[in-house]
């Protein structure tokens, strides 16, 4: 039986409060952690430990109440828009597909 932690709001209510969601690759967050955290605090974003997987790559989803804040974050880090309904049903796919390149020989 799936349950949520006490005190956490359900995803449906969370998506109503923060309708503008932006995904950033976990690798990008790792390399630019201080910049990402500073801008997300400045823009008053909520992360609430949301994540997504697409093309075998992890994404961290940042959630905003205002569209202007989300667009600022989107432009600063070349992130992607996320539709909350697609994220809940696990149908969201990144527009970037990374191809593993190997060496021969």
């Amino acid at each position: 039986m799936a349950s949520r932690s006490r005190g956490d709001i359900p995803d449906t209510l969370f998506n109503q409060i923060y309708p503008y969601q932006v995904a950033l690759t976990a690798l990008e967050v790792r390399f630019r952690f201080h910049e990402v955290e500073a801008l997300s605090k400045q823009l008053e974003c909520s992360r609430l430990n949301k994540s997504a997987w697409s093309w075998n790559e992890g994404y961290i989803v940042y959630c905003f109440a205002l569209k202007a804040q989300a667009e600022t974050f989107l432009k600063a880090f070349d992130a992607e828009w996320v539709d909350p309904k697609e994220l809940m049903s696990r149908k969201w796919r990144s527009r970037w597909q990374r191809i593993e390149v190997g060496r021969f020989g």
Side-chain angles (χ1 to χ4, degrees):
M1 182 171 137
S3 66
R4 60 184 172 84
S5 299
R6 300 223 186 268
D8 288 349
I9 59 176
D11 284 342
T12 52
L13 180 60
F14 184 80
N15 291 336
Q16 290 174 1
I17 297 170
Y18 299 103
Y20 304 103
Q21 300 182 5
V22 175
L24 187 59
T25 63
L27 194 61
E28 182 79 17
V29 173
R30 181 178 176 199
F31 288 133
R32 300 174 70 184
F33 180 76
H34 296 295
E35 296 173 47
V36 172
E37 288 298 308
L39 186 60
S40 65
K41 285 182 182 178
Q42 183 181 4
L43 296 175
E44 299 174 1
C45 121
S46 175
R47 204 173 117 218
L48 198 70
N49 296 326
K50 283 186 159 249
S51 61
W53 281 89
S54 176
W55 307 114
N56 289 332
E57 188 166 19
Y59 288 82
I60 297 176
V61 180
Y62 291 89
C63 308
F64 300 90
L66 302 174
K67 189 172 184 176
Q69 294 171 336
E71 287 176 344
T72 302
F73 191 85
L74 186 81
K75 290 176 185 174
F77 298 109
D78 192 30
E80 298 182 51
W81 286 110
V82 175
D83 182 15
K85 292 177 185 174
E86 287 182 0
L87 195 62
M88 284 179 67
S89 64
R90 301 181 193 267
K91 292 182 181 178
W92 178 79
R93 290 283 175 231
S94 170
R95 69 173 189 243
W96 304 108
Q97 181 179 3
R98 305 204 195 289
I99 300 171
E100 293 184 27
V101 177
R103 285 194 249 177
F104 296 104

